[in-house]
Amino acid sequence: MAKKPPFIAGNWKMHKTIPETIDLTTAIIKASKDLAEAEIVLAPPFTALSEASRIIGGSAVRLAAQNLHWEDKGAFTGEVSAPMLKDAGCRYVIIGHSERRQYFEETDAGVNRKIKAALQSSVFPIVCIGESLAERENRETMVVVSRQLEGGLQGIAGGGFEPIIVAYEPVWAIGTGKTATPAQAEEVHAHIRQELARRYGNEPAECAIILYGGSVKPANAFALLSERNIDGFLVGGASLEAESFIQIVREAIRAYKEKK
Ligand code: PGA
C-alpha cells in the first residue's frame, strides 16, 4: 500500500473564543513550517472559522468545520450550509461525530445527506464512525462500523468522493483517557478499508485516509500511526494546546518515516 503523509486534524469541539483561536492557530502555523510532511487540519467552532481562515492564509494548514446542514440555504434557524463553509475557507467538514449522534440524534441517513451536500460544494467530508462500549463488549464492533459505513455512504459513487476520509472513533475512547490499543484500532481500520474496497474498488480503498480518534496524545501517537492501516488522527482534547498537538504531529511524522 502506498504510504500517505499523516493527516492530523484537531477537533476543537465547543472550545475557543476568537482571541483564543487567533493564539492557537498562530502558534500551530508557526510550528507547522517544520512539519511539512503532514496534512494539518484545524476544526474551530463556527464563530471562529473566518478568523482562523484569515490567519491560515496561504500556509499549508487547512481548515475544517465540525458540522453542516444538508440544504444549501433556507429557513433552518441555527444551521450552517456547505456553501457557507466553503465561503468561510473550509476545505474539510467533520460529519457524524459520535457526540452529534449521541446528543443531537444524528442518524446514518442524516450523515448520508450531509456527505452528499458537502461533496456537492467541494468540501471534503471526514466521516466519523465507531462503536459504543456495550457494542464492543457484545462483539458487535465490525457489524456496527459496517452498518454506519453502509448507511452513511448509500448512493455515493466513488468518482466524486476522493480522497475518502473516514475517522474510526470508538465512543468508549473519546475524552475518557482510554485509547484503543494499536492492535485494536488496526483490526477495525483494516476492516474499514476492506469495506471501502468492496464498495469502491481496491485503489480508492488504498488511497482512502483512515483516521483514528479517541484520547490520542503525544505518548500513544507513534505506536498507533505505526500500524499499517492508520493514516492519521482526529484529535480532541490534546488539540486544544499547541504544544501537545504539535507533538502529536511530530510523533506521527516519525512513525510515517519508519513505515514500510
Ligand atoms: P479526544 O476526542 O481526543 O478528546 O478523545 C476525539 C474526538 O472526539 O474527535
Side-chain angles (χ1 to χ4, degrees):
M1 186 161 65
K3 283 214 300 183
K4 284 167 282 237
F7 185 111
I8 318 292
N11 173 13
W12 297 3
K13 307 190 179 182
M14 199 168 71
H15 295 283
K16 305 293 177 190
T17 59
I18 292 173
E20 288 166 349
T21 297
I22 295 173
D23 287 351
L24 183 52
T25 307
T26 306
I28 289 170
I29 287 177
K30 212 166 137 210
S32 72
K33 300 208 169 94
D34 305 327
L35 304 170
E37 284 120 318
E39 172 87 338
I40 300 177
V41 178
L42 306 181
F46 286 134
T47 47
L49 282 175
S50 67
E51 194 58 21
S53 172
R54 189 182 65 76
I55 296 170
I56 284 171
S59 84
V61 172
R62 307 288 189 193
L63 193 63
Q66 300 174 19
N67 184 29
L68 82 167
H69 191 269
W70 53 74
E71 296 290 344
D72 279 359
K73 58 181 172 191
F76 299 100
T77 302
E79 296 292 326
V80 176
S81 72
M84 291 170 179
L85 299 184
K86 189 85 191 164
D87 186 40
C90 294
R91 182 179 176 87
Y92 301 102
V93 57
I94 298 169
I95 298 179
H97 190 280
S98 68
E99 285 150 18
R100 299 229 38 100
R101 294 176 189 259
Q102 190 177 344
Y103 304 124
F104 304 98
E105 278 117 53
E106 199 146 299
T107 61
D108 291 331
V111 166
N112 181 253
R113 294 175 81 173
K114 291 182 177 193
I115 296 173
K116 288 176 178 161
L119 292 172
Q120 191 79 34
S121 289
S122 305
V123 180
F124 299 109
I126 299 172
V127 182
C128 300
I129 56 175
E131 83 287 4
S132 66
L133 182 59
E135 288 162 341
R136 174 159 284 265
E137 284 172 347
N138 286 335
R139 300 178 188 279
E140 289 168 2
T141 299
M142 303 306 178
V143 177
V144 169
V145 162
S146 296
R147 188 181 63 224
Q148 289 173 335
L149 277 178
E150 184 68 31
L153 301 179
Q154 192 84 41
I156 297 171
F161 186 22
E162 277 169 28
I164 301 167
I165 309 172
V166 174
Y168 168 58
E169 300 208 301
V171 177
W172 49 271
I174 296 178
T176 57
K178 282 187 210 151
T179 323
T181 64
Q184 278 175 325
E186 170 62 15
E187 187 188 16
V188 184
H189 279 232
H191 175 76
I192 292 169
R193 208 178 295 281
Q194 266 173 20
E195 290 281 301
L196 293 174
R198 198 168 53 76
R199 175 173 281 273
Y200 295 117
N202 283 337
E203 213 197 307
E206 296 283 293
C207 295
I209 298 166
I210 308 181
L211 310 177
Y212 169 78
S215 300
V216 174
K217 26 187 185 276
N220 56 29
F222 179 85
L224 284 161
L225 205 119
S226 299
E227 294 291 340
R228 185 173 185 278
N229 285 289
I230 300 184
D231 304 316
F233 302 123
L234 184 53
V235 187
S239 73
L240 297 175
E241 301 288 337
E243 205 179 297
S244 46
F245 185 66
I246 290 300
Q247 200 50 36
I248 289 171
V249 179
R250 279 191 213 291
E251 289 297 297
I253 292 174
R254 195 163 69 83
Y256 165 68
K257 285 186 171 158
E258 289 183 18
K259 236 171 175 169
K260 297 281 179 309

